[in-house]
Amino acid sequence: MEKTRRIILMLDSSRAVDRGVIQGLVEYSHLRGNWSFYRMLPLFQTYPFSKRQTDTILQRLKKLDADGIVGYLPDEPSLLKNIRQRNFPTVTIPLQELIDGVINIRQGIEVGIVGAEHLLNRGFKNFAFCGGKNRWSRVRWKHFNRRIEQAGFTVRQYPLSKELKKRDAELKRLADWLTKLPKPVGLMVCNDERSSDVVDACHLAGLQIPDQVAILELITMK
């Protein structure tokens, strides 16, 4: 009897991109045979993405006798060293930089380009981008901005704060920025969390969506 492969999924099913990855894995597993999935939520603001050494992914791998892991991996030296030494099958969606020694799901440049084309085709003359500090945001910003500049326009980018702010303070800051943008503006956001922030900030500032601020979010990952 074929061994059941135990795969740890460090993905967040509340996110559209992650649900797409999970769907693809399930479909692939139906073709390949006996796969069993174990969910381990990424918990982006707590360990393993913070520095607190509590229940580690490495301990979980050993406890489950897992055969592979797919999802968001922290750049944690002891974990990555062990994965490389064991030649452990690993597919990661890098939060910041690409991680050496494992397979990385890369952010396609097409997302930013498609977003720019969409807004250009709808006749916008004013453009903005609201992103974050993650790698996929930087990639989307770079190619969105490049395509808009090629069309002869400029993009106003939301300036990220170096300090961690409370949500109310950050929304006010974002609302002030949105208010100062020339209207109507085609605004691309880096992901669904940022989209929610922009919608809330528009409501706070009394701005009409989409008449004054047209918000574009693309969730395709490649």
Side-chain angles (χ1 to χ4, degrees):
M1 182 177 179
E2 184 180 358
K3 176 187 175 182
T4 298
R5 301 291 182 181
R6 299 181 176 89
I7 311 298
I8 292 180
L9 300 182
M10 287 192 63
L11 297 164
D12 185 354
S13 59
S14 68
R15 297 168 52 84
V17 170
D18 293 20
R19 291 197 299 272
V21 175
I22 293 171
Q23 180 181 354
L25 287 169
V26 171
E27 292 175 355
Y28 183 78
S29 70
H30 288 165
L31 297 175
R32 298 295 298 179
N34 293 332
W35 282 23
S36 179
F37 296 105
Y38 295 83
R39 290 187 62 206
M40 182 177 179
L41 292 177
L43 300 176
F44 296 104
Q45 303 303 323
T46 59
Y47 191 83
F49 298 101
S50 70
K51 297 298 182 181
R52 290 191 293 109
Q53 301 298 318
T54 54
D55 180 25
T56 66
I57 301 173
L58 186 55
Q59 292 171 344
R60 185 68 63 90
L61 292 175
K62 293 178 178 178
K63 185 184 297 184
L64 290 176
D65 188 26
D67 299 287
I69 185 169
V70 179
Y72 299 95
L73 271 185
D75 190 4
E76 207 285 311
S78 61
L79 169 66
L80 298 177
K81 179 181 178 181
N82 191 276
I83 285 175
R84 296 184 186 110
Q85 288 177 342
R86 294 174 60 191
N87 196 26
F88 190 77
T90 302
V91 179
T92 183
I93 304 171
L95 288 172
Q96 296 297 335
E97 303 303 327
L98 299 178
I99 299 177
D100 293 333
V102 301
I103 296 174
N104 290 262
I105 298 178
R106 295 172 178 261
Q107 172 67 63
I109 67 172
E110 295 87 353
V111 177
I113 296 173
V114 169
E117 293 284 358
H118 177 81
L119 294 175
L120 286 167
N121 290 339
R122 274 148 184 78
F124 283 97
K125 306 297 182 184
N126 303 308
F127 302 90
F129 184 91
C130 186
K133 297 179 180 179
N134 293 317
R135 183 178 182 275
W136 63 74
S137 177
R138 298 196 300 271
V139 172
R140 293 182 179 193
W141 152 252
K142 177 181 177 180
H143 296 281
F144 178 80
N145 183 60
R146 178 179 296 174
R147 179 65 189 92
I148 295 298
E149 288 186 340
Q150 288 174 349
F153 302 99
T154 60
V155 181
R156 291 166 173 83
Q157 183 183 21
Y158 179 62
L160 296 176
S161 173
K162 294 181 180 180
E163 300 178 0
L164 292 176
K165 295 180 177 292
K166 293 183 178 179
R167 177 170 169 79
D168 288 346
E170 179 62 17
L171 284 182
K172 184 179 184 305
R173 183 171 178 267
L174 180 55
D176 291 341
W177 177 74
L178 290 167
T179 300
K180 296 174 183 177
L181 294 176
K183 311 294 188 302
V185 59
L187 187 151
M188 183 172 179
V189 293
C190 66
N191 58 13
D192 42 6
E193 287 91 351
R194 261 314 191 197
S195 178
S196 177
D197 290 341
V198 171
V199 170
D200 289 345
C202 283
H203 291 161
L204 180 63
L207 298 173
Q208 296 181 350
I209 304 171
D211 295 340
Q212 292 178 291
V213 182
I215 305 169
L216 174 65
E217 172 198 354
L218 295 178
I219 61 174
T220 304
M221 178 172 282
K222 186 176 183 181

